[in-house]
Amino acid sequence: MFTKNPTSHRPIRSFVIRSGRLTNSQRKAIDQHWDRYVVNNQSLSQPVWPMLSEKAELIVEIGFGMGDSLLEMASDEPTKIFIGIEVHRPGIGKLLHNIAENKLRNLWIIYQDAKEAMTNCFESNSIDKILILFPDPWTKKRHQKRRLVQPDFISLLTEKIKPGGVLHLATDWEPYAQQMLELLEQAEGLVNENGSSNYWEHPKRPTTKFEQRGKKLGHGVWDLLFKKSVS
Ligand SMILES: C[S@@+](CC[C@H](N)C(=O)[O-])C[C@H]1O[C@@H](n2cnc3c(N)ncnc32)[C@H](O)[C@@H]1O
């Protein structure tokens, strides 16, 4: 688990801690709301699990960036529980500000590398939906090992999703989309909801900040939706 000021790094990470300064509002939100809304595997059981025991659906977004689309999803579906995982402190500050401002009671944050958070914080077969929207594409060949969507990570996510639950990925980098499609088609226990080898043409989700940036640069968008088999 990271502290509020992480210093340690593992050899291969799917992210670089960006040095972007916190705005006053982000810093204030971190100071005021961190303890209430940022959970780890110790504290997750306190606010979150009582609501889950009421059979609320659990949705997890990995790498929510500045958090605007996660906020929109959680606001639109107040009876579902949302957990966002992120390592970018300005994004966490912004989302904390917005959670408090909008008085949301169904959205929490985990500040940790998603690979560790998924291993430590969630039971097997416990998540209804996992979203990874526009993960860093790591376009240079020598960096591709840093891509988040890798066979081991897909296996971990599949283990944590409930039978019948789904994994929703999106990217604006076509070679990464092709790699995702290939890996997910091969993954044990996952079935393409749009038919073998097909992307999701009309995905149901908010537009994200990174997606808007890509569209301005003329990038396409590829969404993938895979369901965990029930057997
Ligand atoms: C390209 S941005 C996209 C952000 C947002 N989903 C969007 O579409 O606007 C990818 C985000 O994933 C986060 N990220 C990358 N690897 C991560 C990891 N292993 N654990 C948690 N967050 C990660 C980065 O910090 C970054 O904010």
Side-chain angles (χ1 to χ4, degrees):
M1 179 70 195
F2 288 149
T3 62
K4 284 186 189 179
N5 293 297
T7 51
S8 63
H9 295 273
R10 284 193 323 184
I12 299 181
R13 294 281 202 196
S14 59
F15 56 88
V16 173
I17 299 286
R18 288 167 277 163
S19 56
R21 281 172 53 125
L22 293 170
T23 64
N24 287 340
S25 145
Q26 290 162 359
R27 188 185 312 281
K28 200 168 152 199
I30 285 176
D31 288 344
Q32 289 185 344
H33 306 303
W34 184 280
D35 291 343
R36 175 156 187 187
Y37 295 110
V38 180
V39 295
N40 57 39
N41 47 333
Q42 278 85 43
S43 62
L44 196 59
S45 56
Q46 296 306 318
V48 182
W49 296 149
M51 294 190 69
L52 285 175
S53 66
E54 292 167 18
K55 302 260 185 292
E57 280 184 33
L58 176 59
I59 320 284
V60 176
E61 181 175 1
I62 295 172
F64 58 74
M66 298 310 283
D68 296 342
S69 45
L70 179 54
L71 185 83
E72 188 177 330
M73 291 188 285
S75 304
D76 286 351
E77 301 195 284
T79 60
K80 298 183 182 174
I81 306 296
F82 288 79
I83 297 184
I85 305 174
E86 183 51 79
V87 292
H88 182 52
R89 294 177 78 237
I92 292 178
K94 182 171 184 206
L95 185 57
L96 281 173
H97 172 85
N98 286 332
I99 293 173
E101 187 92 340
N102 290 280
K103 299 189 170 55
L104 289 196
R105 294 286 174 270
N106 63 329
L107 173 53
W108 287 272
I109 296 169
I110 298 176
Y111 176 45
Q112 195 172 17
D113 184 330
K115 293 177 193 170
E116 290 153 19
M118 291 310 304
T119 304
N120 299 330
C121 300
F122 299 93
E123 304 282 331
S124 299
N125 302 313
S126 65
I127 304 174
D128 291 276
K129 187 197 285 187
I130 298 177
L131 301 109
I132 311 180
L133 304 179
F134 304 92
D136 300 276
W138 294 109
T139 56
K140 290 188 180 145
K141 199 165 180 7
R142 69 176 190 280
H143 287 153
Q144 283 175 13
K145 57 182 179 299
R146 301 187 69 151
R147 285 181 177 166
L148 185 59
V149 180
Q150 305 279 356
D152 286 355
F153 194 54
I154 294 171
S155 299
L156 177 63
L157 299 181
T158 306
E159 182 208 320
K160 303 295 177 174
I161 294 172
K162 283 180 187 167
V166 294
L167 175 60
H168 180 178
L169 306 184
T171 180
D172 66 349
W173 189 250
E174 191 169 13
Y176 199 9
Q178 288 163 348
Q179 183 187 14
M180 288 174 176
L181 188 60
E182 199 172 309
L183 292 175
L184 292 176
E185 296 273 354
Q186 288 166 3
E188 202 157 319
L190 291 179
V191 178
N192 190 338
E193 278 287 272
N194 295 288
S196 183
S197 306
N198 291 327
Y199 295 105
W200 190 8
E201 293 279 337
H202 302 290
K204 289 194 204 96
R205 61 168 176 80
T207 303
T208 79
K209 192 163 183 241
F210 195 81
E211 176 179 16
Q212 281 169 341
R213 182 177 154 272
K215 279 186 174 161
K216 282 189 193 141
L217 296 169
H219 294 183
V221 173
W222 293 267
D223 280 74
L224 301 89
L225 187 71
F226 279 71
K227 185 183 269 191
K228 179 166 168 178
S229 321
V230 175
S231 62

